Amino acid sequence: MRILMTGGTAGIGLVAARRLLKDRALLAIGARRPDRAPADFSGRVDLKPLDLADLDQVRAFAARIAEGPPIDVLLLNAGLQNVSGGRSRQGYELTFAANHLAHHLLLRLLLPRMAPDGRIILTASGTHDPAEQTGMPPPRHADARRLAHPETDPDLDRSAGVAGRRAYSTSKLCNVMTARELARRLAGERPDLMVAAFDPGFTPGTGLARDYPFPLSLVFRFVLPLVVRGKRVSTPANSGRLLAQLAVDPRWAGARGDYIAVRGRGLESVPPSALAQDDEACARLWTDSEALTGPV
Ligand SMILES: NC(=O)c1ccc[n+]([C@@H]2O[C@H](COP(=O)([O-])OP(=O)(O)OC[C@H]3O[C@@H](n4cnc5c(N)ncnc54)[C@H](OP(=O)(O)O)[C@@H]3O)[C@@H](O)[C@H]2O)c1
């Protein structure tokens, strides 16, 4: 089984990658620094350079991957939270560009390479849903052009930290909407493909808060795992195990744009936010994202 991952070098994705390797998957990972990948990947994982903050690298990566055999599982798990106003190589807001636009382009480039009954999974987040009250500023809209160029957004938050965190929850909304729109588009020509958005639950202990002020990133990595509990709270080990399960377990083969969330020790298919269920908004996000990333 050939599995292609982004975000397999740390946190939740690293746990999932190791699980999939145990199941003897042929694993390829796009990584920012292949030379710094975990030592146990050596000789077992096909590591290829990929920085999602640069759409040219996404195209080069996809071209290299397309040379190999068909892809059974495309696991788009990489994610970041930029709270310091960063931009991608193409000048788009960094979190939106890396978490959403780059994955949108990558999956469009690799769709023709998907094996029969293949799976496409995008890691999203409960922060996309205002009703979940996660403590993150929730998305206000999914207008790709305003998200790519936040300086044109009349509602932009004044604080860079708030704006960055809202850009994150919004990028995760875009992941959910992309999964739904992709499934709708595939219904005619590739109804065999499984498509899902994955919510790992609140999972402190990973590197996700690395761009936060240093004390806060330490709290996220070392303190919160000791003190937060709940059905929607998870650990990297638990969420990574469940992400690997979603990638291969026959139980989930019928997902067609479903939003599948970690709840305690298991996975549940749950409704996403109201905006994520707006089919017109999902279709618009898709075409606007195409315009921002270019033809394939
Ligand atoms: N932790 C949570 O509470 C939580 C909750 C909901 C959803 N999520 C989602 O879960 C996924 C995994 O996050 P995590 O918590 O495991 O965080 P993490 O430990 O920071 O891992 C993130 C992964 O994404 C990769 N990545 C980040 N920026 C990249 C870029 N520009 N180009 C290529 N790869 C890049 C990282 O690679 P490097 O090794 O190069 O850094 C790493 O492998 C993300 O999509 C995140 O949004 C996390």
Side-chain angles (χ1 to χ4, degrees):
M1 174 178 291
R2 188 180 191 217
I3 300 183
L4 175 65
M5 271 187 94
T6 64
T9 50
I12 297 163
L14 175 57
V15 176
R18 286 184 169 141
R19 285 245 161 198
L20 294 166
L21 279 176
K22 258 194 203 160
D23 293 345
R24 298 171 197 273
L26 279 178
L27 191 59
I29 295 180
R32 280 187 283 198
R33 292 163 304 221
D35 52 317
R36 290 220 234 141
D40 60 323
F41 279 6
S42 179
R44 302 169 73 210
V45 177
D46 179 12
L47 287 155
K48 296 206 182 318
L50 172 64
D51 185 344
L52 292 163
D54 181 358
L55 296 176
D56 294 339
Q57 287 200 32
V58 173
R59 286 180 185 275
F61 173 74
R64 282 192 201 109
I65 289 297
E67 286 165 8
I71 301 160
D72 295 287
V73 182
L74 181 57
L75 213 50
L76 304 176
N77 173 69
L80 57 85
Q81 274 189 40
N82 181 270
V83 290
S84 42
R87 295 284 163 143
S88 73
R89 179 94 201 285
Q90 283 70 30
Y92 301 143
E93 191 284 319
L94 180 58
T95 302
F96 176 69
N99 294 4
H100 168 64
L101 287 179
H103 282 136
H104 188 269
L105 175 61
L106 187 57
L107 75 81
R108 284 196 297 129
L109 289 164
L110 292 178
L111 260 186
R113 301 296 303 145
M114 291 303 296
D117 299 320
R119 297 186 182 204
I120 301 173
I121 299 164
L122 294 106
T123 298
S125 163
T127 59
H128 91 275
D129 187 353
E132 282 216 15
Q133 299 190 326
T134 60
M136 290 285 282
R140 291 194 180 116
H141 61 79
D143 178 337
R145 288 168 203 280
R146 273 197 278 160
L147 295 169
H149 302 289
E151 67 282 1
T152 65
D153 191 336
D155 296 328
L156 180 66
D157 299 290
R158 289 205 182 145
S159 145
V162 177
R165 291 189 302 135
R166 199 183 304 280
Y168 173 78
S169 66
T170 308
S171 73
K172 298 283 113 181
L173 168 69
C174 295
N175 294 146
V176 181
M177 295 171 79
T178 297
R180 289 172 65 85
E181 176 63 11
L182 175 63
R184 193 190 65 75
R185 285 172 172 252
L186 290 175
E189 282 180 23
R190 290 298 305 269
D192 58 305
L193 294 181
M194 174 272 209
V195 183
F198 168 69
D199 166 24
F202 179 54
T203 313
T206 71
L208 192 60
R210 69 187 84 178
D211 191 46
Y212 280 43
F214 189 57
L216 285 182
S217 70
L218 287 183
V219 167
F220 184 80
R221 196 178 260 279
F222 299 110
V223 180
L224 292 183
L226 304 174
V227 297
V228 290
R229 295 283 176 271
K231 204 178 172 203
R232 291 173 191 200
V233 176
S234 186
T235 62
N238 189 48
S239 295
R241 173 182 66 84
L242 292 167
L243 177 56
Q245 189 187 103
L246 186 59
V248 294
D249 193 325
R251 181 182 160 207
W252 299 107
R256 295 292 181 273
D258 304 50
Y259 177 58
I260 299 172
V262 170
R263 294 287 185 264
R265 302 270 307 150
L267 289 170
E268 281 176 28
S269 183
V270 295
S273 72
L275 183 49
Q277 296 185 54
D278 179 338
D279 291 341
E280 229 173 79
C282 292
R284 203 165 41 243
L285 174 68
W286 185 280
T287 46
D288 287 350
S289 301
E290 276 179 336
L292 288 164
T293 54
V296 299

